[in-house]
Amino acid sequence: MTPSIVIFGEMLWDMLPSGKQPGGAPMNVAIHLKNFGLNPTFISRVGTDDLGVELTENLNRKGLSTEFVQIGETHLTGIVKVNLTDKTEVAYKIVQPVAWDYIQPDPRLDEVVAKSDVFLYGSLAVRNQQTKDTLYHLLELAPLKVFDVNLRPPHYDRPTIEYLLSKADIVKVNEHELAIVAGWYGILPDAQTQMKFLVDKFELQMICLTLGANGAVVLDQDGFTSQGGYQVEVQDTIGSGDSFLAMFLKHILAGSPVSLALKNACAVGALVATYQGATPSISDLELEKFLTN
């Protein structure tokens, strides 16, 4: 059976030098999961403006339901100003406040989250109290929780990140984020030591560390599993980590070995970096061809 995946968080427009592109890590993950043959449920909020209409139409074109994308009249749809001067270290200026800062509670959300197989959330969406309250409530209902750490200064604080970690079963984090969080506890910058510390402290089932072009590492009950990166010609890295997470979850939920999940996830992340924008559709054939070359 196809697993029931619910994703909570921001949806927005990335304002690139070449024009605007749909974005927001949770929405990107939802779109990639759909591209990979799954059917996630996405919870977010847009404004009544033209940008909001365009975003919801984009989701519909991608085959995703907008049933749980709320439409608010008091705040504009989210935008992010993107600086691509360094293609591998993209800089973001995230406008605030916007519609996704005000995701409202709804009994229908309670039901869909409680019945899900996995609930995916990030840290950026909870920068405002309203969305934070809604997420915290839903975390109490979700059976399996995946936390995609997304530390964007100044939109986070230590107590919030610690709380989100305490509720998680599986955590995805990059090198920079791992160093920040582990640094709060004085853990020296050895990635495996830092990963083990977080697994023990927050009683995680699994932590996945992404290393950009150098691949990724997972720590679970069976120990560490590593996967090297794939060398590609980078257009931009927007959405690479989101596609990685989508493919990784697809395999983990299907019961694949962690090694296979990492191999495919790293390959997809590399392929997405060869395109402009966050959500190019990577076909099974393109992935297979990439892995066999």
Side-chain angles (χ1 to χ4, degrees):
M1 290 179 62
T2 303
S4 170
I5 304 172
V6 178
I7 301 174
F8 179 99
E10 66 273 12
M11 61 188 297
L12 49 85
W13 288 100
D14 285 324
M15 299 301 188
L16 305 170
S18 57
K20 69 180 189 295
Q21 293 272 0
M27 187 177 77
N28 293 342
V29 174
I31 291 172
H32 282 296
L33 282 167
K34 185 67 177 180
N35 289 342
F36 300 153
L38 300 176
N39 192 32
T41 298
F42 182 48
I43 300 169
S44 191
R45 189 175 181 91
V46 296
T48 55
D49 49 358
D50 290 345
L51 290 177
V53 172
E54 261 192 276
L55 266 187
T56 53
E57 288 177 347
N58 175 67
L59 282 181
N60 287 327
R61 280 196 305 274
K62 301 281 188 180
L64 281 162
S65 169
T66 55
E67 179 182 359
F68 298 106
V69 175
Q70 301 173 359
I71 300 173
E73 297 183 357
T74 53
H75 293 88
L76 297 174
T77 299
I79 63 169
V80 172
K81 297 170 184 176
V82 182
N83 186 332
L84 287 175
T85 304
D86 183 342
K87 290 181 179 179
T88 60
E89 285 292 336
V90 182
Y92 301 91
K93 183 179 180 183
I94 307 168
V95 175
Q96 183 181 19
V98 292
W100 55 260
D101 288 309
Y102 296 90
I103 300 173
Q104 303 293 312
D106 183 333
R108 298 181 309 143
L109 301 184
D110 295 3
E111 183 178 3
V112 76
V113 169
K115 290 181 177 178
S116 68
D117 294 308
V118 60
F119 180 61
L120 172 65
Y121 61 97
S123 50
L124 179 57
V126 296
R127 63 181 182 173
N128 183 69
Q129 193 64 45
Q130 176 59 72
T131 296
K132 180 187 282 190
D133 289 345
T134 302
L135 175 61
Y136 281 18
H137 171 71
L138 294 175
L139 286 172
E140 298 304 317
L141 307 174
L144 180 70
K145 297 173 282 290
V146 178
F147 178 24
D148 182 13
V149 181
N150 192 7
L151 303 185
R152 302 288 187 201
H155 304 290
Y156 71 90
D157 60 74
R158 177 174 173 175
T160 299
I161 301 303
E162 289 178 321
Y163 182 80
L164 295 175
L165 283 166
S166 75
K167 292 296 180 182
D169 300 300
I170 298 172
V171 168
K172 171 188 163 279
V173 65
N174 66 27
E175 287 177 285
H176 177 63
E177 292 157 348
L178 178 64
I180 289 172
V181 176
W184 294 339
Y185 308 99
I187 307 303
L188 296 174
D190 167 71
Q192 290 199 355
T193 302
Q194 293 172 335
M195 291 169 73
K196 187 169 188 319
F197 173 81
L198 292 184
V199 164
D200 292 342
K201 179 170 181 59
F202 294 104
E203 300 179 350
L204 305 175
Q205 293 179 20
M206 177 186 295
I207 186 168
C208 179
L209 172 64
T210 56
L211 303 169
N214 295 317
V217 182
V218 164
L219 173 60
D220 63 4
Q221 67 274 14
D222 296 323
F224 287 96
T225 306
S226 300
Q227 170 64 50
Y230 297 91
Q231 299 305 309
V232 294
E233 180 134 356
V234 174
Q235 289 294 317
D236 68 56
T237 56
I238 300 172
S240 287
D242 304 325
S243 66
F244 171 98
L245 180 54
M247 181 60 77
F248 184 77
L249 278 180
K250 175 184 176 178
H251 277 276
I252 292 300
L253 292 172
S256 299
V258 170
S259 57
L260 181 61
L262 276 179
K263 179 180 179 181
N264 282 273
C266 286
V268 160
L271 279 170
V272 167
T274 67
Y275 292 85
Q276 286 190 329
T279 55
S281 183
I282 307 298
S283 69
D284 291 340
L285 184 62
E286 184 178 2
L287 177 60
E288 185 181 343
K289 187 176 177 182
F290 180 78
L291 284 168
T292 53
N293 280 350

